[in-house]
Amino acid sequence: MQKAIVFSIEEFSVYDGPGIRTTVFLKGCPMRCNWCHNPEGFEPRVQVVKNLNGCERCGACKAVCPSPGACILCGRCISACPKNLIRFSGKEYTAEGLASKLLKNADYLKKCGGGVTFTGGECLLYADFLIAIIAMLKGEKTHTAIQTCGFADERKFKAVVSAVDYVMFDLKVMDRQEAIRYTGCDNAPILKNFRNLCAGGTPFVVRVPLIPGVTDTKKNLQAIADLVKDSPALGAELLPYNKMAGSKYRLVGKKYSPIFDQTAEPNIDTEIFIKAGIPVKVL
Amino acid sequence: MTERIRKIYERLKKKEYRKLRNADEFLLSDSVYDEKDLALRSAFRLAEAAKAERAVLFAEDRIGMMRTIGKIPKLLRKEEAENLYRGRFVFDGGQVCNISSDYAGILSDGFLKKRKQIRGQLPRYERGSKEYNELAAMDICIDAVETIAEKYRQEAERMGISELAEALKNVPMHRPRSYYEALVMLRILNFTLWLNANKHNTLGRFDVYMYPFFKADLQSGRLDREKALELTSEFFIDLNFDSDLYPGEQQGDNGQSLVLGGIGTDGKDVFNELSEICLEASLSLNLIDPKLNIRVGKNTPDEIFYKGTLLTKQGLGFPQYSNDDVVIPALIKMGYDEQDARNYVVAACWEFIIPGVAYDIPNIDAFSYPQAVLKVLNEKLESCASFDDLMHALKEEIARRCREMAEATKNIFVEPSPFQSILMSGCIERARDIAEGGKYNNYGFHGAGLSTAADSLAAVRKLIYDDKAMTPAQLLEALRKNFEGFEGVRKACVDAPKMGNNDDYVDKIAAELTEYFADGLSGLRNERGGIFRAGTGSAMYYIWYSESLGATPDGRKAGEPFSANYSPSLNAKSEGVLSVIHSFTKPRLERVCNGGPLTLEFHDTLFRNEEGTKKVARLVKLFVESGGHQLQLNAINREALLDAQKHPEAHKNLIVRVWGWSGYFNELDPVYQEHIIKRLEFEQAG
């Protein structure tokens, strides 16, 4: 039985593919993009997270903890918190269980030209799960999409991409050294998978986060445009950096430490793409 | 916005015009109170108010009008009211309100024709009889309207606003000759209704009754679209000048609703170019009046939903949508003629009423579902062997409560309102005030706290009957103690299924409850021969009733509010909006169709580009296709977020979507919460 850890399911998402969609966030990511806004997606396991807003340090959670310093996910602190500020992040689903939950809204999704989008974290961490659930959803005539960073085993990447109806593929940092510096990963496998994506017949768009001084430079955007213009991509979607990116770190007990100038306004340069003949929109 | 409209708009925003109002309180002379006949007294009051009013115009006005006298004194002196009210049921100040005038009729006749009609009727009745006095009172009211119009005509002439002076030579006594004159006349009607102390003055189907004038002008070339937009904008702004004087529960609760689109009496869709102009005017003005309602159905073009959604984006909480496919058949089932049902409008908030003919009181009282549930639990839970037994007991209690509420509406006292009566069809012919009834005299009861009640019953079913996780005595004890010392019980209650998650376990209970309410009222008659309509609204009762109600098995603590209207409980974490629509379209809404919308809140980043806005519009259409009856959408704005900071418990589902991601507002670091609020401040200042 295929299983995956889900940390959020969002109904009525409007920017994650065609039509009205339900977006499933799978937990765990091989990359550590320096600007990541969703640290809940880092670890591929269930965690206990604490919302410190409103916490009065009453100590009730600590008092019941049987294993301080090494969480055993017993959930006692969750029940103990008088203000309900503690919760699990992540819930394990079987492909069958998640599919049947998602299919409860299938009638609406179909009517609105939408479907289900899997994202993360990095959804391809659960490639076998995806292949199983995509088959179940498509069996019920529900459109499927993935949003991926492309950093994945080639064989699995190809298998998922050939199963799914639509792909949103991230292109972030084109320079190899810079990519390692800012995302914690070599971009060679990503570019390889991009070529795999182009070779397959699945419709896709390219997504580019615009991070000030990192991805939004003329050089980087031009490199992306050069790569995309000769590809079968339907277009490019630009996501300008938002200064809210750090807001969830405290929840997972981490500190947000950007190494770029996050006060700078992102360079929303659609011209480069237009000149290259690539349909572009800003999300 | 043209330069002229901008000037009027800025005058409204600066509020300095209010200094031109009389400083002294407006008082009636003793002779008014000496009049024993209340219809005549009402007319005398209007006559004195009209006399006391000063015409104030500004150079940029083409329609204008503002109040110069303050609050209108009550019709009854205090001790007199005490005597008259003794043993009577007095609703909302005992005045005619919350109905919709026959604007089409008066615009096509003019007041002169009405006066002739009234004077023609007078000799049929004995001097001093009730009928004679009523007609005489109506006659005096027409003089009062004429007085107001004449004052404004003279002022327009003095100021050199020849267009307006010219129009006022004709309206309101004669039928308007143009769209412009029709607007001037409508403004006078609206102004006079407020001066007559009527509250909740709805504007009805503006794009229906104004359309003939608009169309004729367009065809003759007298008017173009730009000019029509300018005049409509001016009229809309003018509706806001005296908002602070209106005697509602809260400012803004003045009932100036305006309905666009929908099926016409001939069965065809009426949405027209004038409807579009209204949407456009409202979009550019961003004012709370008039409150736009759009009537839609499964055949409504996507474009209309899109234009409505652009308006939602402004964050004012309208347009509100009503679904003709559900409402019209429901009204017919209630006994309204098909033509009348097709002509329905929305009262002050959301109740469905018929303009011109009905004196329905659709908000006469409110039923509290949670109160009934708690009563039955306390009295019967321990003796009910099965959940079905419990539901059966509840059905009986709801029926009993319906009878009790119906009984309490008997012996109603309503002050006559001769001016309003002129504007209702049949009152002149019958020499009878609208306060005594119209063609339809139905009463409506709101149904407050449905989701709280359904969630409570779902928890009882699960914890007591299905899982046997606790005994009835344990649960009742926990409720009595407001869950203090029963945190485990409360957690189990909170974790039980909640309405709004497309879960039949609880949704079917909700559907059942609405049936009980409808059944409870079915067959009951009010003293005017009308029926009782069951509704899904809550008005302010979701606060009033909840404050005095103890803890409920959904995990709600004593005194915590229910959700407003027809919406998921504030205690329920919802899977999302698609599930909410599924859940809330399961009840047979045609049986509880007094009015009361499902309310959905969206963060305004959802609307940030055309794609997002179109998808929200698609969602509205989806609601309509799914058989929802009424929908209100809110784009969450800064105020709501500030409130969420102070009362996070009341905004559990407030999702903030920024960039390609979303999070619960409550979970964001305060510094980021501030950031969003500041950003909205910036955006909304623009």
Side-chain angles (χ1 to χ4, degrees):
Chain A
M1 209 185 303
Q2 298 300 336
K3 288 180 181 170
I5 314 282
V6 173
F7 72 93
S8 181
I9 299 174
E10 191 187 317
E11 286 183 10
F12 192 58
S13 87
V14 301
Y15 299 117
D16 293 324
I20 288 174
R21 311 195 70 83
T22 297
T23 300
V24 180
F25 295 79
L26 299 180
K27 202 162 173 329
C29 186
M31 294 177 98
R32 286 293 179 274
C33 299
N34 186 246
W35 53 84
C36 182
H37 57 263
N38 224 344
E40 265 191 89
F42 287 173
E43 303 299 329
R45 55 183 175 82
V46 177
Q47 288 169 282
V48 169
V49 297
K50 242 183 234 188
N51 174 15
L52 294 174
N53 299 347
C55 173
E56 285 165 0
R57 310 286 190 279
C58 71
C61 52
K62 294 208 171 96
V64 297
C65 182
S67 172
C71 182
I72 54 164
L73 301 177
C74 68
R76 286 184 204 169
C77 56
I78 297 176
S79 320
C81 176
K83 300 188 81 183
N84 289 319
L85 297 173
I86 310 178
R87 63 171 171 87
F88 284 120
S89 169
K91 183 177 170 186
E92 189 177 78
Y93 281 92
T94 62
E96 290 79 5
L98 184 58
S100 79
K101 184 179 172 72
L102 295 169
L103 286 169
K104 280 169 78 180
N105 289 322
D107 53 343
Y108 284 180
L109 298 175
K110 269 179 255 179
K111 270 189 183 174
C112 301
V116 174
T117 297
F118 295 93
T119 178
E122 171 48 54
C123 61
L124 288 175
L125 227 52
Y126 301 93
D128 296 335
F129 174 89
L130 284 181
I131 289 166
I133 196 168
I134 286 167
M136 292 171 200
L137 295 174
K138 285 175 79 169
E140 299 293 329
K141 308 256 183 307
T142 301
H143 184 271
T144 57
I146 58 165
Q147 194 247 320
T148 174
C149 69
F151 190 88
D153 172 78
E154 247 189 288
R155 195 180 49 81
K156 290 188 169 171
F157 179 86
K158 283 190 200 165
V160 173
V161 162
S162 68
V164 78
D165 297 309
Y166 186 82
V167 177
M168 286 158 274
F169 191 96
D170 293 352
L171 285 174
K172 295 170 181 166
V173 187
M174 298 301 279
D175 179 89
R176 195 167 179 180
Q177 292 310 316
E178 293 274 287
I180 293 167
R181 182 169 174 228
Y182 285 105
T183 71
C185 283
D186 185 355
N187 65 8
I190 295 174
L191 298 174
K192 189 84 194 294
N193 274 333
F194 184 75
R195 284 189 290 276
N196 288 326
L197 181 63
C198 294
T202 310
F204 71 94
V205 292
V206 163
R207 284 195 154 185
V208 185
L210 297 177
I211 309 305
V214 183
T215 64
D216 72 346
T217 60
K218 205 166 167 78
K219 188 176 160 223
N220 190 55
L221 293 178
Q222 191 62 59
I224 292 173
D226 289 344
L227 184 67
V228 173
K229 76 172 179 222
D230 298 321
S231 79
L234 299 170
E237 297 175 348
L238 309 182
L239 294 86
Y241 177 72
N242 189 288
K243 297 184 176 72
M244 301 289 301
S247 60
K248 281 178 160 184
Y249 280 72
R250 195 159 76 145
L251 191 69
V252 294
K254 286 192 159 49
K255 196 170 174 295
Y256 181 55
S257 26
I259 52 170
F260 57 93
D261 178 9
Q262 61 156 345
T263 60
E265 286 305 313
N267 167 33
I268 305 175
D269 189 349
T270 51
E271 272 307 301
I272 288 181
F273 293 90
I274 294 167
K275 272 188 194 145
I278 303 162
V280 60
K281 60 183 170 187
V282 181
L283 296 187
Chain B
M1 207 185 282
T2 64
E3 196 44 42
R4 188 173 75 78
I5 298 301
R6 183 167 302 281
K7 274 189 188 163
I8 300 173
Y9 184 81
E10 278 165 11
R11 187 201 325 151
L12 174 73
K13 290 284 165 180
K14 280 189 191 140
K15 298 184 178 158
E16 299 217 337
Y17 67 93
R18 292 184 185 173
K19 290 184 186 154
L20 296 170
R21 289 181 188 152
N22 295 352
D24 299 338
E25 197 183 342
F26 169 62
L27 297 170
L28 297 174
S29 37
D30 285 342
S31 62
V32 173
Y33 291 108
D34 290 344
E35 175 55 56
K36 292 280 175 295
D37 183 278
L38 292 182
L40 280 173
R41 189 189 295 184
S42 172
F44 291 153
R45 176 176 65 175
L46 182 61
E48 289 208 347
K51 207 170 144 204
E53 267 297 334
R54 279 177 296 117
V56 177
L57 287 169
F58 295 80
E60 60 273 15
D61 286 336
R62 292 297 172 272
I63 300 171
M65 301 188 80
M66 60 165 270
R67 271 271 281 279
T68 57
I69 61 173
K71 297 241 170 282
I72 307 298
K74 290 193 187 318
L75 196 63
L76 301 172
R77 283 193 162 126
K78 199 162 173 278
E79 61 281 11
E80 192 182 17
E82 277 167 14
N83 283 327
L84 262 172
Y85 290 175
R86 196 162 295 134
R88 308 292 301 269
F89 173 65
V90 181
F91 173 68
D92 208 358
Q95 293 163 298
V96 174
C97 68
N98 214 13
I99 62 176
S100 194
S101 303
D102 178 19
Y103 293 113
I106 189 68
L107 284 170
S108 104
D109 286 353
F111 277 103
L112 213 54
K113 194 168 163 191
K114 296 282 184 198
R115 181 187 275 161
K116 264 193 197 152
Q117 235 181 319
I118 290 163
R119 293 188 179 166
Q121 288 275 76
L122 263 177
R124 294 181 49 203
Y125 299 98
E126 193 182 328
R127 185 177 275 271
S129 69
K130 194 169 158 46
E131 291 79 8
Y132 187 95
N133 287 345
E134 176 68 30
L135 290 166
M138 290 179 184
D139 198 40
I140 294 165
C141 290
I142 293 181
D143 293 346
V145 183
E146 198 173 19
T147 301
I148 295 163
E150 176 57 18
K151 281 186 185 180
Y152 270 91
R153 190 197 63 75
Q154 287 176 12
E155 181 63 6
E157 206 163 83
R158 192 188 69 79
M159 302 263 309
I161 308 173
S162 56
E163 213 177 340
L164 181 57
E166 204 52 40
L168 287 168
K169 279 183 194 160
N170 187 49
V171 291
M173 301 314 287
H174 303 273
R175 177 189 159 85
R177 294 167 299 191
S178 63
Y179 179 64
Y180 169 61
E181 286 193 0
L183 283 172
V184 172
M185 177 150 170
L186 192 59
R187 176 68 185 130
I188 292 173
L189 289 173
N190 172 264
F191 183 88
T192 311
L193 281 165
W194 286 117
L195 204 61
N196 192 45
N198 291 73
K199 51 181 185 176
H200 297 324
N201 290 310
T202 65
L203 289 150
R205 303 188 84 176
F206 182 91
D207 59 353
V208 172
Y209 60 76
M210 295 297 275
Y211 191 63
F213 301 100
F214 169 79
K215 193 176 154 200
D217 278 9
L218 280 192
Q219 277 170 355
S220 70
R222 184 213 298 261
L223 187 75
D224 59 22
R225 197 180 186 284
E226 280 312 296
K227 182 77 180 158
L229 177 64
E230 189 187 356
L231 290 170
T232 308
S233 301
E234 179 177 6
F235 176 76
F236 280 11
I237 300 173
D238 289 345
L239 292 173
N240 291 272
F241 274 108
D242 302 321
S243 304
D244 57 316
L245 295 176
Y246 300 155
E249 282 291 335
Q250 290 170 64
Q251 240 191 60
D253 181 20
N254 60 32
Q256 294 193 124
S257 64
L258 188 150
V259 177
L260 300 174
I263 302 293
T265 48
D266 59 358
K268 289 186 191 137
D269 203 309
V270 303
F271 197 93
N272 55 40
E273 209 182 344
L274 186 56
S275 330
E276 277 181 26
I277 286 174
C278 289
L279 285 175
E280 212 174 300
S282 187
L283 196 58
S284 73
L285 295 173
N286 214 22
L287 294 170
I288 63 162
D289 277 302
K291 301 167 202 3
L292 297 192
N293 285 265
I294 307 182
R295 282 179 43 178
V296 293
K298 58 181 180 299
N299 297 323
T300 301
D302 293 353
E303 186 62 14
I304 294 175
F305 290 110
Y306 180 68
K307 285 186 169 154
T309 306
L310 288 176
L311 200 50
T312 297
K313 188 181 172 179
Q314 305 266 52
L316 294 165
F318 62 73
Q320 179 169 257
Y321 298 90
S322 302
N323 184 358
D324 282 3
D325 298 333
V326 176
V327 177
I328 294 172
L331 289 169
I332 292 172
K333 238 182 231 172
M334 289 179 207
Y336 294 89
D337 293 344
E338 186 177 41
Q339 297 282 304
D340 289 332
R342 282 175 173 171
N343 211 23
Y344 81 86
V345 297
V346 174
C349 298
W350 15 252
E351 304 93 332
F352 306 115
I353 56 171
I354 315 300
V357 290
Y359 180 34
D360 291 337
I361 310 182
N363 53 340
I364 199 159
D365 203 351
F367 167 66
S368 167
Y369 285 103
Q371 211 170 344
V373 168
L374 208 52
K375 182 166 187 280
V376 169
L377 290 179
N378 279 323
E379 292 171 3
K380 304 269 172 66
L381 180 62
E382 284 172 290
S383 62
C384 285
S386 70
F387 185 69
D388 286 348
D389 287 354
L390 185 72
M391 289 298 276
H392 188 76
L394 184 60
K395 184 178 162 84
E396 279 180 3
E397 165 58 20
I398 290 177
R400 187 201 63 76
R401 181 71 190 131
C402 285
R403 287 192 298 272
E404 184 178 77
M405 285 168 64
E407 192 62 29
T409 64
K410 281 194 176 154
N411 206 10
I412 194 168
F413 171 81
V414 189
E415 286 171 8
S417 184
F419 180 63
Q420 177 70 72
S421 301
I422 299 168
L423 305 179
M424 299 303 285
S425 129
C427 288
I428 297 175
E429 291 85 337
R430 287 178 297 153
R432 208 166 85 143
D433 198 279
I434 189 64
E436 292 177 49
K439 178 176 176 185
Y440 302 105
N441 301 287
N442 301 321
Y443 293 167
F445 289 153
H446 302 314
L450 176 67
S451 51
T452 302
D455 294 350
S456 295
L457 289 165
V460 168
R461 176 176 205 169
K462 185 162 169 45
L463 301 175
I464 307 280
Y465 294 102
D466 289 0
D467 296 357
K468 301 192 168 44
M470 59 188 74
T471 64
Q474 281 171 319
L475 177 65
L476 293 175
E477 177 70 2
L479 295 179
R480 268 193 294 274
K481 295 268 166 69
N482 198 21
F483 296 113
E484 271 160 44
F486 291 85
E487 280 72 23
V489 173
R490 177 153 191 266
K491 186 164 188 326
C493 288
V494 169
D495 289 345
K498 300 277 183 275
M499 191 182 183
N501 292 300
N502 191 13
D503 180 351
D504 277 348
Y505 191 89
V506 52
D507 294 348
K508 280 192 173 156
I509 295 174
E512 199 71 359
L513 288 174
T514 57
E515 293 288 322
Y516 294 171
F517 185 26
D519 288 344
L521 292 180
S522 160
L524 299 181
R525 290 274 160 183
N526 67 35
E527 63 186 352
R528 300 181 162 206
I531 61 161
F532 289 92
R533 319 190 319 184
T536 47
S538 67
M540 55 287 171
Y541 295 96
Y542 71 104
I543 301 288
W544 289 359
Y545 283 166
S546 58
E547 277 172 348
S548 56
L549 192 72
T552 39
D554 60 332
R556 175 191 149 278
K557 288 189 176 172
E560 286 180 0
F562 311 149
S563 65
N565 298 327
Y566 186 58
S567 303
S569 154
L570 299 175
N571 291 316
K573 211 162 199 179
S574 164
E575 300 267 357
V577 61
L578 300 182
S579 295
V580 168
I581 293 178
H582 264 127
S583 284
F584 283 81
T585 50
K586 285 177 195 174
R588 292 198 293 162
L589 288 163
E590 70 274 13
R591 293 210 69 206
V592 282
C593 214
N594 186 58
L598 170 64
T599 303
L600 299 176
E601 294 192 329
F602 294 115
H603 192 265
D604 52 11
T605 47
L606 261 185
F607 307 81
R608 89 189 136 203
N609 62 22
E610 191 184 324
E611 188 183 354
T613 308
K614 276 197 170 142
K615 289 180 183 179
V616 176
R618 183 65 190 88
L619 187 82
V620 176
K621 194 175 175 190
L622 182 69
F623 173 80
V624 171
E625 290 166 346
S626 306
H629 63 334
Q630 201 168 31
L631 180 67
Q632 191 204 343
L633 300 103
N634 294 329
I636 287 294
N637 53 25
R638 190 173 157 269
E639 282 70 23
L641 298 179
L642 286 172
D643 192 59
Q645 278 191 315
K646 272 190 226 144
H647 309 285
E649 69 284 354
H651 295 270
K652 283 195 184 120
N653 289 323
L654 179 53
I655 288 173
V656 197
R657 181 152 178 140
V658 209
W659 199 3
W661 61 288
S662 47
Y664 286 99
F665 182 75
N666 291 341
E667 290 187 353
L668 305 179
D669 285 1
V671 52
Y672 291 100
Q673 292 184 344
E674 288 297 338
H675 186 280
I676 295 188
I677 288 164
K678 281 207 184 103
R679 188 197 65 197
L680 288 171
E681 199 168 25
F682 174 72
E683 280 182 2
Q684 290 182 353

